[in-house]
Amino acid sequence: MILETLRRIVGEVGRARDLTMALEAIVRGVREALDVAVCSVYLVPRAKVGDPDAPLMLMATEGLSRKAVGRVSLSPSEGLVGLVAQRAEPINLDNAPQHPRYKHIANIGEEPYHAFLGAPILLRGEVLGVLVVQDYASRRFSDDQESFLVTLAAQLASSLVQAELSEAVARPPSSRKKVVGEAIRGVPGAAGVASGTAVVVYPQADLEAVPDRHCDDPEIELARLKAAREAVRAELIALRQGMAHRLPEEECVLFDAFTMMLDSESLFAGIERRIRAGAWAPAALRDTIREYAAVFEGMDDDYLRQRAEDVRDVGTRLLEHLQEVENGIRDYPERTILVGREITVTHLAAMPEGRLAGIVSARGSSASHVALLARALGVPAVMGASELPVERLDRRELVIDGYRGVVHVDPHGALREELDRLVREEAQLSAELATLRDLPALTPDGARVHLYVNVGLLADMAPANNVGAEGIGLYRTEIPFQVRDNFPGEEEQTRIYREVLAAYAPRPVVLRTLDVGGDKPLGYFPIHEDNPFLGWRGVRLTLDHPEIFLTQVRAMLRANKGLGNLRILLPMISGVGELERALELIDQAHAELREDGLNGEAVQVGVMIEVPSAVYQVDALARRVDFLSVGTNDLTQYLLAVDRNNARVAPLYDSLHPAVLRAIHDIVAGGRRAGRPVSVCGELAGDPLGALILLGFGIDSLSMSAGSLPRIKRVIRSVPLKHARQLAWETLTCERGDEVRAMLRAALRDYGLGGLIRGDE
Ligand code: PEP
Ligand code: MG
């Protein structure tokens, strides 16, 4: 029961479209659930979150005087509310007026209350506010009540910020006061600053995910609604007939209830009214369904309360039909910034060429595959902006700063000018970097580092060719597998790989065998696991399915015929046994091709070092292959035990962590001992700070997203190897990533390269 109440309140707050609605849902819900006289919420003004002296303002109350809302404000050193914020922990008192920190505030109607329970509202360790309940009697709140309040407060923070941002971006820009404070924070996904128009992508058949959009022609939307209504009616009739002999009559009545809803003139009048007021049909439907469902949910009768689900069900069916018509007719503005709770490779693949200006995702982190693709395409990305009011952003003007991980909505005035300046500077930097295209990656003291690009989508081949790469250091073959409806066959794969190999010949191309699992799902080969990143991933899966592996390797070898620039790379190797098995299968593929009279020429094979066990077995692995390639994305994830995709732990995901650097150092040393070249193909290679250190460690080649390559070439051409070596050694004595970062940043600035690491300041 308690859990259900909790879920209900959290759900209501999550659905609130502005802060006032969210706060009211909290105070109302909590007062009722705990059966207390007062529930209030105090909040720190958003611009002051993190400031230990920030005041706490009474923002909503049930029980105290409403007139005090927005007027009463306490400093953290004042009153019990201040004490909860200061300690960032709950306080449960039977007789509050007797506590030394009790502060009486006149005229808010607080006089008769004795029992006090306050819980802090915390987001990522910072106090956003305090949730308080009070009651007449002198009694301690029970443990159950305390844990209810604490659990609720812990779940509210993100929704409150989201509701506040949602309200802020809904106001016309000129009426916003704290414009700078309204920047939406995420984490850096891909470097760069860009402006453009937001296009919100959202999952199908999910009413709550429908974004706001203005409609220019209500008649078209009304016609769409009418068609959807008729289609759902037909669908329900068919369903009822189909079920009639399988379900008892009383169960079939459910379909009649649905049909009655479709006949409800008041329901449709509500949707139509919203359309005539300028909303597009899906948003008008979403809001009307919400309103109806809320009416049912508020009823005392259990049976009627359950009908809220039916209302939502009918709403979802209508939405499905509206979306059917909408599919495929999405128009993308000239400079589109894709925005969504979750952006997938498929969303990117659907974009017409040349229109993508940036990406903003509420989920994920800098190591998510979408961020990597953004870098490959050379567009900035902001990831993990979990409080993003997605449904309010469609067609809004955005400026995104991928260096800092910040999104600005409709910026204006001085802020707009500042951002426009940054966008111009960014364009200038790109133009400057473009002049390096045909120059070698040579340090001032003559050391040569080979620079390759990471590639996946065929669409990112063009940028890769334009940046003057010496070849492809990592071709993620899973991407062509992901954008299809079934496993591509040997012929099709041969054609895809041939295209890539031919585009670069005679420059080397490293094709990695299939690395699905983890955060790279195949729609047609679903894998459900509790710990996907520790599960059936990469070579583990393909060794269990030798037919997939053999088909792929045969296709790679056939594609190499007459070109000779293929190298094969094996992902997720965690021990010698796996490597030997994979090498045997590669030999088998060779032998089969020779038997068939097809190309069976020998190729170089390498192993990815991206699992901690491989670091400790680097000598044994290196002896068995031709080259090593360090996957710093996974190596960081597995060494630090931080999910590379989880926005919540994104601040802990740090490839410059001294443990990761020590591991890379040891891998390079292992490669040297075995006489095998070592390259880095994880994102660290494309980070100016990371490249500097890798140069110092004596890495032979770096492979990175095309968008990063010009910056890295600039770093290599500016810093002598001798100095990079010295820096690398010094970083090995550091105990924290921050120290490493500060040292490398200072060095780059000394070489006049501060512009490359803007967001790191
Ligand atoms: C890595 O893990 O560093 C890597 C290059 O592979 P992926 O990002 O595709 O897992
Ligand atoms: Mg990897």
Side-chain angles (χ1 to χ4, degrees):
M1 179 62 190
I2 283 273
L3 244 181
E4 202 181 295
T5 315
L6 204 88
R7 227 177 268 146
R8 188 172 45 76
I9 301 176
V10 171
E12 230 179 290
V13 175
R15 284 193 294 275
R17 313 228 67 212
D18 59 40
L19 188 61
T20 315
M21 265 173 79
L23 292 170
E24 277 175 4
I26 298 170
V27 290
R28 205 179 335 106
V30 173
R31 187 161 94 146
E32 200 181 292
L34 295 185
D35 192 18
V36 288
V38 178
C39 177
S40 319
V41 179
Y42 296 79
L43 289 184
V44 172
R46 216 164 68 80
K48 295 217 165 141
V49 169
D51 173 353
D53 298 323
L56 289 141
M57 172 78 80
L58 176 67
M59 296 297 289
T61 184
E62 281 270 318
L64 299 182
S65 161
R66 294 247 174 159
K67 288 202 195 96
V69 169
R71 299 223 172 107
V72 169
S73 152
L74 296 161
S75 94
S77 59
E78 280 182 312
L80 293 166
V81 172
L83 192 61
V84 175
Q86 248 175 1
R87 290 191 184 164
E89 61 179 12
I91 292 181
N92 187 352
L93 299 172
D94 56 351
N95 197 346
Q98 275 182 0
H99 191 281
R101 278 288 296 264
Y102 179 78
K103 180 178 160 128
H104 175 76
I105 304 167
N107 303 326
I108 63 167
E110 202 181 25
E111 280 69 11
Y113 307 116
H114 289 92
F116 173 100
L117 171 60
I121 304 172
L122 295 160
L123 185 63
R124 291 185 274 276
E126 287 179 327
V127 177
L128 299 188
V130 175
L131 177 59
V132 175
V133 290
Q134 293 171 278
D135 217 350
Y136 298 103
S138 180
R139 59 153 177 127
R140 244 182 94 82
F141 286 99
S142 71
D143 282 356
D144 280 353
Q145 287 175 315
E146 183 173 330
S147 68
F148 173 85
L149 204 71
V150 169
T151 317
L152 183 67
Q155 293 183 32
L156 289 177
S158 182
S159 304
L160 282 181
V161 175
Q162 204 174 346
E164 191 180 1
L165 284 170
S166 175
E167 186 178 331
V169 302
R171 287 198 293 271
S174 52
S175 75
R176 293 188 216 154
K177 282 187 237 108
K178 304 173 300 244
V179 185
V180 181
E182 279 157 18
I184 301 167
R185 298 214 148 264
V187 292
V193 180
S195 60
T197 311
V199 170
V200 172
V201 292
Y202 56 99
Q204 298 282 297
D206 180 354
L207 266 177
E208 289 308 319
V210 167
D212 285 348
R213 191 174 297 171
H214 181 78
C215 82
D216 294 325
D217 188 346
E219 293 310 320
I220 294 181
E221 293 303 288
L222 290 170
R224 275 179 5 117
L225 177 67
K226 188 161 176 254
R229 189 177 180 180
E230 291 320 313
V232 175
R233 194 191 308 278
E235 184 180 287
L236 288 174
I237 293 171
L239 263 177
R240 194 190 200 294
Q241 282 166 353
M243 289 291 179
H245 57 281
R246 281 191 271 160
L247 278 182
E249 179 58 24
E250 58 272 26
E251 298 294 335
C252 284
V253 178
L254 178 69
F255 294 109
D256 297 338
F258 281 5
T259 318
M260 256 164 60
M261 262 177 246
L262 278 183
D263 289 337
S264 159
E265 285 315 321
S266 65
L267 178 75
F268 280 83
I271 308 175
E272 285 169 20
R273 185 172 39 76
R274 288 184 164 94
I275 291 177
R276 292 199 192 281
W280 73 320
L285 172 70
R286 174 200 65 201
D287 291 346
T288 314
I289 293 290
R290 263 187 198 153
E291 191 179 278
Y292 262 68
V295 171
F296 280 106
E297 265 161 4
M299 290 182 176
D300 286 335
D301 183 287
D302 232 15
Y303 174 81
L304 287 175
R305 234 189 353 258
Q306 308 273 334
R307 302 285 65 76
E309 268 320 297
D310 301 345
V311 174
R312 290 207 187 89
D313 191 327
V314 168
T316 307
R317 284 170 189 276
L318 285 164
L319 180 67
E320 273 171 17
H321 285 278
L322 286 173
Q323 283 172 332
E324 246 169 45
V325 186
E326 184 196 326
N327 277 342
I329 53 160
R330 188 182 278 285
D331 63 299
Y332 293 92
E334 230 18 74
R335 296 185 53 76
T336 294
I337 297 186
L338 277 188
V339 176
R341 295 237 157 271
E342 189 150 20
I343 310 265
T344 63
V345 175
T346 330
H347 291 134
L348 289 184
M351 284 282 309
E353 224 181 304
R355 301 240 163 148
L356 184 68
I359 292 173
V360 182
S361 171
R363 302 225 175 97
S365 76
S366 65
S368 302
H369 281 92
V370 170
L372 311 195
L373 281 172
R375 270 170 254 168
L377 297 167
V379 297
V382 174
M383 304 294 292
S386 44
E387 282 85 42
L388 197 71
V390 173
E391 38 308 316
R392 293 247 165 151
L393 295 182
D394 199 54
R395 309 290 148 157
R396 305 292 290 268
E397 284 307 305
L398 305 184
V399 176
I400 68 170
D401 180 343
Y403 290 107
R404 294 184 174 81
V406 176
V407 181
H408 299 274
V409 184
D410 296 331
H412 66 282
L415 175 67
R416 175 89 222 190
E417 279 165 29
E418 169 65 13
L419 291 169
D420 285 346
R421 188 181 61 75
L422 279 180
V423 173
R424 278 197 305 276
E425 271 182 28
E426 198 52 31
Q428 200 181 339
L429 175 69
S430 306
E432 259 172 55
L433 293 174
T435 62
L436 302 179
R437 206 192 99 126
D438 298 318
L439 299 175
L442 201 63
T443 62
D445 50 353
R448 186 82 167 81
V449 181
H450 299 282
L451 298 187
Y452 300 113
V453 282
N454 295 348
V455 179
L457 281 181
L458 278 183
D460 65 17
M461 292 289 287
N465 255 329
N466 290 340
V467 292
E470 294 171 61
I472 294 182
L474 170 65
Y475 181 93
R476 293 181 163 96
T477 58
E478 50 278 9
I479 296 183
F481 278 72
Q482 278 179 298
V483 296
R484 281 171 175 70
D485 294 333
N486 45 36
F487 281 108
E490 186 172 317
E491 296 303 322
E492 191 180 358
Q493 288 191 54
T494 307
R495 193 184 47 70
I496 297 171
Y497 304 148
R498 177 88 190 166
E499 208 173 311
V500 187
L501 291 169
Y504 274 79
R507 292 170 289 173
V509 171
V510 179
L511 297 185
R512 182 172 70 183
T513 63
L514 192 61
D515 184 23
V516 290
D519 71 332
K520 290 179 279 193
L522 288 181
Y524 49 89
F525 192 74
I527 304 170
H528 300 289
E529 295 178 310
D530 286 343
N531 280 309
F533 277 112
L534 301 182
W536 213 34
R537 256 200 90 174
V539 84
R540 300 173 179 183
L541 185 151
T542 49
L543 290 184
D544 284 348
H545 275 281
E547 77 287 7
I548 298 176
F549 189 84
L550 283 168
T551 305
Q552 185 173 36
V553 172
R554 282 171 58 102
M556 288 177 177
L557 295 172
R558 283 176 59 191
N560 191 35
K561 187 169 184 186
L563 295 173
N565 57 338
L566 164 72
R567 293 175 190 176
I568 296 179
L569 182 60
L570 302 165
M572 278 297 289
I573 294 282
S574 62
V576 170
E578 278 168 338
L579 177 58
E580 285 179 341
R581 177 73 187 126
L583 293 174
E584 273 165 31
L585 287 173
I586 294 176
D587 283 346
Q588 184 181 330
H590 269 298
E592 285 168 9
L593 286 181
R594 275 194 295 268
E595 256 170 49
D596 296 349
L598 296 163
N599 189 34
E601 254 170 62
V603 294
Q604 288 193 11
V605 178
V607 64
M608 285 203 72
I609 308 291
E610 54 182 345
V611 178
S613 56
V615 179
Y616 292 101
Q617 288 209 296
V618 67
D619 293 84
L621 296 172
R623 274 199 299 277
R624 291 167 166 83
V625 291
D626 302 298
F627 65 97
L628 304 179
S629 190
V630 189
T632 51
N633 307 338
D634 278 314
L635 189 58
T636 305
Q637 145 164 285
Y638 294 127
L639 266 182
L640 305 183
V642 176
D643 180 343
R644 64 192 263 183
N645 238 343
N646 184 340
R648 229 179 258 156
V649 288
L652 293 176
Y653 183 92
D654 182 9
S655 294
L656 290 174
H657 188 294
V660 180
L661 298 182
R662 171 65 63 182
I664 298 173
H665 168 269
D666 293 353
I667 299 166
V668 176
R672 282 267 151 73
R673 284 192 294 274
R676 303 289 189 268
V678 181
S679 104
V680 171
C681 65
E683 292 302 299
L684 187 66
D687 170 0
L689 304 180
L692 182 54
I693 226 173
L694 295 172
L695 173 66
F697 280 159
I699 215 86
D700 298 284
S701 58
L702 298 172
S703 190
M704 66 207 72
S705 310
S708 310
L709 194 137
R711 291 165 208 268
I712 301 308
K713 195 184 267 188
R714 176 85 181 268
V715 171
I716 289 170
R717 291 182 57 85
S718 308
V719 185
L721 175 64
K722 201 161 148 244
H723 188 198
R725 259 196 209 134
Q726 190 191 330
L727 276 167
W729 278 108
E730 281 172 34
T731 56
L732 284 178
T733 63
C734 291
E735 295 183 344
R736 295 165 214 276
D738 286 349
E739 279 172 66
V740 174
R741 196 165 279 108
M743 189 188 289
L744 298 174
R745 238 185 259 151
L748 284 188
R749 269 198 227 106
D750 287 347
Y751 285 99
L753 302 177
L756 300 179
I757 48 165
R758 206 194 296 277
D760 268 324
E761 278 151 19

